[in-house]
Amino acid sequence: MKNTIKLLSNENAPDYLLTKYIAPTDPVGRWAQYNEAFREINENPFLAELPEELTPFAAEGRVVSKSTYSAMKSDAVLAAAEGKKAIILTGVTAECSVLATMMDAIDMGYEVVYLYDCIARQSAEVDANVRGLAELYAPIHTTVMSSDEYLAAIRRTAPAAF
């Protein structure tokens, strides 16, 4: 979280959107089973909110709700990404939303900048597996780096380069 806040607070950082999962009222296919299995979590209003540390960054138009793992299924995310070269990826959780968003962004032709120290995961093993997948697609589809490496890179180049 501290690295994500450092990134969002940086004057050179590019535009951003925050996403949060909201269970659909009429889930389709496997999402029906998923939402049933995690009903207690999905129905807890506290768990549907952004963490308190992110609320200063949740200005109007900066928070998008989604009902699938991939943020790239959201019209608002697609509109914000239009014309951009890359998707800077942070988030929760590596093996679900982050991985699905990464794969969809790659399929849509975006470079993905995978900021490994801004991504939450279930365990160190899961982290290593998902990061390994991101590294597998480098350097053509992905760039895997820390938030400090990313911030150093955008200080050296115009923010529009990422």
Side-chain angles (χ1 to χ4, degrees):
M1 181 69 74
K2 69 180 173 77
N3 291 326
T4 299
I5 291 170
K6 176 176 60 177
L7 178 71
L8 293 171
S9 300
N10 189 283
E11 64 185 23
N12 295 318
D15 239 354
Y16 67 89
L17 286 178
L18 304 172
T19 61
K20 61 181 182 174
Y21 178 79
I22 303 295
T25 53
D26 295 314
V28 180
R30 291 292 195 190
W31 284 106
Q33 291 171 324
Y34 174 89
N35 288 326
E36 184 60 36
F38 296 100
R39 176 182 301 277
E40 187 175 307
I41 294 170
N42 292 341
E43 291 177 354
N44 183 329
F46 173 76
L47 296 176
E49 293 303 316
L50 290 172
E52 185 178 325
E53 299 91 340
L54 292 178
T55 56
F57 305 99
E60 187 175 333
R62 295 286 186 186
V63 180
V64 174
S65 297
K66 63 185 183 92
S67 59
T68 61
Y69 286 143
S70 176
M72 302 307 289
K73 303 287 187 208
S74 162
D75 290 340
V77 171
L78 292 176
E82 189 174 334
K84 303 283 192 299
K85 174 186 170 191
I87 302 296
I88 309 337
L89 196 52
T90 67
V92 178
T93 61
E95 65 279 5
C96 296
S97 297
V98 173
L99 180 60
T101 300
M102 178 178 77
M103 298 307 293
D104 280 350
I106 288 169
D107 278 349
M108 293 176 178
Y110 293 99
E111 176 186 356
V112 173
V113 179
Y114 187 95
L115 299 181
Y116 61 81
D117 62 348
C118 293
I119 296 174
R121 67 278 182 192
Q122 286 184 356
S123 68
E125 180 181 11
V126 168
D127 180 47
N129 289 334
V130 178
R131 183 175 170 180
L133 287 172
E135 289 170 342
L136 180 68
Y137 294 111
I140 294 175
H141 299 299
T142 61
T143 300
V144 179
M145 59 178 40
S146 71
S147 55
D148 285 337
E149 291 169 326
Y150 175 74
L151 290 171
I154 63 173
R155 276 193 295 271
R156 290 189 306 270
T157 63
F162 272 100

